[in-house]
Amino acid sequence: MPDIPMVVADRVSKSFGSNEVLKSISLEVKRGEVMCLVGPSGSGKSTFLRCINHLEVVSSGRLSVDGELIGYREANHKLYEMRPKEAARQRRDIGMVFQRFNLFPHMTALQNVMEAPIRVKGLSRAGVEANARALLARVGLADRADYYPAHLSGGQQQRVAIARALAMEPKLMLFDEPTSALDPELVGEVLDVMQGLARDGMTMIVVTHEMGFAREVADSLVFMDGGVVVESGVPTEVLANPQHHRTQAFLSKVL
Amino acid sequence: MTNTAANGEKTEPGIKAIRLRHPWRNTFAVVLLLIVALFIADAAMRPAYDWPAVGKYLFDQRISQAAFVTLQLTVYSMIIAIILGVTLAIMRLSPNPVVNSIAWVYLWVFRGTPVYVQLVFWGLIGTIYQSIDMGLPFTEPLVSFPTRVALSAFVLAIIGLALNEAAYMAEIVRAGLLSVDSGQEEAATALGMSWFQTMVRVVVPQSMRVIIPPAGNEVISMLKTTSLVTAIPFTLELYTRSRDIAAVTFDTVPMLIVASIWYLFFTSILMVGQYFLEKRFARGIGDRRPDKKADDATASIAGAMTGVTPVVGSGQPTVVLPPTDPRADSPKGDR
């Protein structure tokens, strides 16, 4: 079992109407691997991320997490669409962090972190609260537990969002441009938290424009453009010596 | 400027300028006050208003009982309307086309016909369906009782008002639900919450802020719409009751004033209630801080908040710190 990669995408395509956003994407993410997805906007990287936890439904191809097909059940060589309940069960194990944080504004930081373990896993409040406080301490926000999101800075909100995702004890974390909505001076604190997660062995897929983070933290880097994987490899090599002209063109703009 | 410097207290001189005068504003206010005063003086003298009669009937037992019935009609029908309205709104937003269509047809019928006509229909239901039967179709009913016995005029009035109101509440609630950022639903879904949990825990509480002002309007409007249940006919509510008394005593105008005073009294109470509800659901929004507890928490670390960057964060590897008794450095925030 441990040999199975955490994420396997096999010729995954996704269309919105006649607009094909993902064109036959194939890639693997191993356990404990940190993969950075980079590329110009509209290249399909966020859509691909959203397909992994079934926020978007793939049009063709197979996508599996931890050996389990996402969104469908396969029996007798036929695919059966999953019930919403089963899809929700799969999502429990996949944490997601959004560009716009999406914290619940009517709940305090602590309540945000406690919500899913209590409602989804049905755990007891006391245990969940202790764990939630530990998670907030882990992202450096123990003293902000009783603050509402509106009273936190962007960086603090995003760290609460990471703690909220971690509270479900996911086996995979997806980050959708986690620092893009932040003021420049707040980016560092969020990246620090993510780096710590990577060090602890979390499997992560990160859509980002932070090339420094990609170089230092990621195990692999995938460059996407126009819905296809243009180039992939070890971050330092891809960044230092891009092979494809589209990668070169993109990197010359962002580096 | 030298003046303030001489005081030696303030470094910045206050601006001393002749304030802009609004002579027309004041003149208009005075004229208006005069007109109002004249009207009141005139009304106090005018025999048609018959103030002694107003005083006599204001706390007449028949009137206060009728006022209580009006309040009951409002509260009961509004409770049913809100529950049904939320259900219909969620149905309208449901991905299930069957459920969606049912809600659409309901709204089409109940919003598309006047409430007065609907109330007349409810009044005639005992004539149209003379008995309520339960059992299998085309067989002898297992249970059967006459409609007029089962459904009193009071119950019919509540049903009639509630079903009509539910259609309007549904649209108000739907607008509220749509006002919540779609990222909220996504975040809840990504955490593994079911659609129903997402609605109840995340979307509905946030939509309340948008829903309450127009819903408060609807409650106040309902209080007054209850006067239409005379169409059923149900005659024990405030307006019909005061009309009935006036028909005997010929005190038409005083009775109208009496009824109006009671309606105004209830409306005022409802407005106070609405104010507190709005405060309750503004939690965590913007800079308003209605929550006392949050205020206290802010005050206690006010010093740390003055700087832009938080004390914790960038630079040091805060992440890998083992969770050493997290409660030690957090404010005692148990609710």
Side-chain angles (χ1 to χ4, degrees):
Chain A
M1 276 299 274
D3 293 359
I4 305 174
M6 185 57 87
V7 180
V8 179
D10 181 18
R11 284 162 293 162
V12 170
S13 298
K14 168 71 185 172
S15 309
F16 293 105
S18 60
N19 181 20
E20 198 174 21
V21 188
L22 296 177
K23 295 167 191 160
S24 197
I25 303 276
S26 294
L27 53 79
E28 278 186 19
V29 183
K30 290 191 275 297
R31 275 158 209 283
E33 180 178 337
V34 177
M35 175 184 278
C36 275
L37 281 178
V38 300
S41 61
S43 58
K45 34 190 208 320
S46 286
T47 307
F48 179 66
L49 207 64
R50 293 161 58 83
C51 285
I52 296 174
N53 70 352
H54 207 49
L55 283 179
E56 303 284 359
V57 182
V58 300
S59 311
S60 70
R62 300 291 168 86
L63 190 55
S64 58
V65 172
D66 206 9
E68 214 180 313
L69 200 59
I70 290 294
Y72 299 93
R73 250 174 322 112
E74 194 166 25
N76 307 323
H77 304 288
K78 278 183 190 162
L79 284 184
Y80 295 90
E81 213 179 313
M82 266 189 183
R83 295 177 170 284
K85 214 177 212 171
E86 296 170 273
R89 189 188 49 75
Q90 286 187 330
R91 289 193 190 101
R92 282 185 194 190
D93 300 331
I94 305 172
M96 184 152 188
V97 175
F98 299 87
Q99 181 178 359
R100 308 254 4 138
F101 329 135
N102 295 352
L103 288 180
F104 306 135
H106 58 303
M107 301 181 192
T108 62
L110 184 68
Q111 289 167 338
N112 263 282
V113 180
M114 290 170 64
E115 181 66 15
I118 290 176
R119 303 288 153 184
V120 179
K121 287 190 169 171
L123 301 176
S124 79
R125 185 165 279 274
V128 169
E129 179 168 345
N131 188 43
R133 287 192 185 278
L135 281 168
L136 284 174
R138 189 176 171 187
V139 299
L141 291 171
D143 57 340
R144 295 292 193 274
D146 295 315
Y147 277 55
Y148 284 104
H151 303 143
L152 296 172
S153 73
Q156 291 172 333
Q157 287 190 52
Q158 193 61 297
R159 287 187 281 154
V160 173
I162 293 172
R164 179 175 70 173
L166 290 176
M168 292 298 283
E169 293 170 338
K171 51 192 177 193
L172 168 69
M173 284 285 282
L174 309 174
F175 293 85
D176 189 4
E177 304 201 22
T179 57
S180 297
L182 296 177
D183 291 339
E185 79 270 20
L186 302 178
V187 169
E189 61 190 68
V190 172
L191 293 182
D192 282 349
V193 169
M194 290 167 63
Q195 189 163 7
L197 272 182
R199 225 177 295 156
D200 292 352
M202 177 63 77
T203 313
M204 294 158 63
I205 305 181
V206 185
V207 171
T208 187
H209 294 296
E210 296 291 331
M211 294 304 154
F213 177 82
R215 187 186 293 117
E216 283 166 35
V217 181
D219 302 302
S220 59
L221 185 129
V222 171
F223 174 72
M224 283 177 71
D225 191 12
V228 295
V229 173
V230 175
E231 194 168 346
S232 62
V234 180
T236 44
E237 283 171 21
V238 177
L239 290 173
N241 189 18
Q243 299 298 310
H244 200 282
H245 72 272
R246 279 199 276 181
T247 321
Q248 291 163 1
F250 175 74
L251 290 178
S252 70
K253 279 179 221 154
V254 296
L255 282 181
Chain B
M1 273 184 234
T2 42
N3 299 350
T4 39
N7 287 339
E9 281 177 355
K10 290 187 177 175
T11 45
E12 261 184 68
I15 292 177
K16 276 191 181 166
I18 313 284
R19 293 193 62 182
L20 188 58
R21 308 235 178 245
H22 301 282
W24 287 109
R25 216 187 265 180
N26 298 339
T27 319
F28 186 60
V30 169
V31 171
L32 212 58
L33 274 175
L34 277 173
I35 293 174
V36 171
L38 271 173
F39 179 77
I40 290 175
D42 174 79
M45 308 300 229
R46 208 164 273 270
Y49 287 117
D50 196 0
W51 295 105
V54 172
K56 185 174 137 207
Y57 284 109
L58 188 56
F59 297 106
D60 185 292
Q61 207 181 6
R62 286 170 295 174
I63 289 293
S64 51
Q65 271 172 357
F68 183 65
V69 170
T70 287
L71 201 60
Q72 276 182 314
L73 282 174
T74 308
V75 171
Y76 292 153
S77 53
M78 217 51 215
I79 289 172
I80 297 171
I82 288 170
I83 294 169
L84 197 57
V86 171
T87 313
L88 284 165
I90 290 177
M91 283 168 78
R92 281 274 275 149
L93 295 173
S94 156
N96 180 338
V98 179
V99 166
N100 192 323
S101 312
I102 294 172
W104 188 87
V105 170
Y106 183 97
L107 257 66
W108 180 61
V109 171
F110 281 91
R111 262 196 329 170
T113 53
V115 62
Y116 194 85
V117 173
Q118 287 173 28
L119 287 169
V120 174
F121 254 110
W122 284 108
L124 292 173
I125 200 138
T127 321
I128 304 170
Y129 304 98
Q130 301 203 334
S131 64
I132 298 173
D133 303 336
M134 276 181 247
L136 293 172
F138 309 114
T139 60
E140 277 297 304
L142 300 173
V143 194
S144 174
F145 41 86
T147 308
R148 283 178 209 282
V149 176
L151 301 171
S152 67
F154 182 69
V155 172
L156 284 174
I158 288 171
I159 293 175
L161 291 172
L163 295 197
N164 177 262
E165 183 56 33
Y168 291 93
M169 280 306 298
E171 287 297 273
I172 289 171
V173 172
R174 189 168 71 103
L177 295 180
L178 288 175
S179 76
V180 178
D181 178 34
S182 61
Q184 292 291 313
E185 197 177 332
E186 244 171 33
T189 307
L191 283 167
M193 292 170 79
S194 70
W195 182 80
F196 186 74
Q197 282 176 327
T198 304
M199 279 291 159
V200 171
R201 296 290 305 169
V202 177
V203 179
V204 171
Q206 290 184 59
S207 65
M208 290 308 268
R209 205 169 51 89
V210 176
I211 291 173
I212 285 171
N217 238 354
E218 290 299 307
V219 178
I220 288 168
S221 164
M222 173 63 86
L223 184 77
K224 295 169 295 176
T225 309
T226 53
S227 59
L228 295 182
V229 297
T230 178
I232 293 242
F234 177 79
T235 54
L236 295 176
E237 50 69 46
L238 185 53
Y239 176 71
T240 314
R241 205 68 208 275
S242 49
R243 293 292 288 176
D244 287 349
I245 294 172
V248 179
T249 61
F250 299 108
D251 287 331
T252 313
V253 177
M255 289 316 292
L256 280 178
I257 295 173
V258 165
S260 300
I261 290 172
W262 276 99
Y263 281 121
L264 262 177
F265 172 67
F266 286 139
T267 322
S268 312
I269 292 177
L270 290 172
M271 283 166 78
V272 173
Q274 183 179 344
Y275 170 77
F276 283 106
L277 267 182
E278 280 181 27
K279 249 180 114 171
R280 169 78 174 80
F281 282 101
R283 258 179 323 166
I285 304 296
D287 289 319
R288 280 181 280 167
R289 294 183 184 180
D291 200 318
K292 189 77 172 58
K293 211 181 293 169
D295 261 353
D296 294 345
T298 318
S300 65
I301 48 100
M305 285 292 279
T306 48
V308 179
T309 27
V311 189
V312 286
S314 42
Q316 57 217 18
T318 43
V319 201
V320 279
L321 281 174
T324 47
D325 193 16
R327 259 164 277 180
D329 53 350
S330 56
K332 39 177 177 28
D334 306 64
R335 45 238 60 242

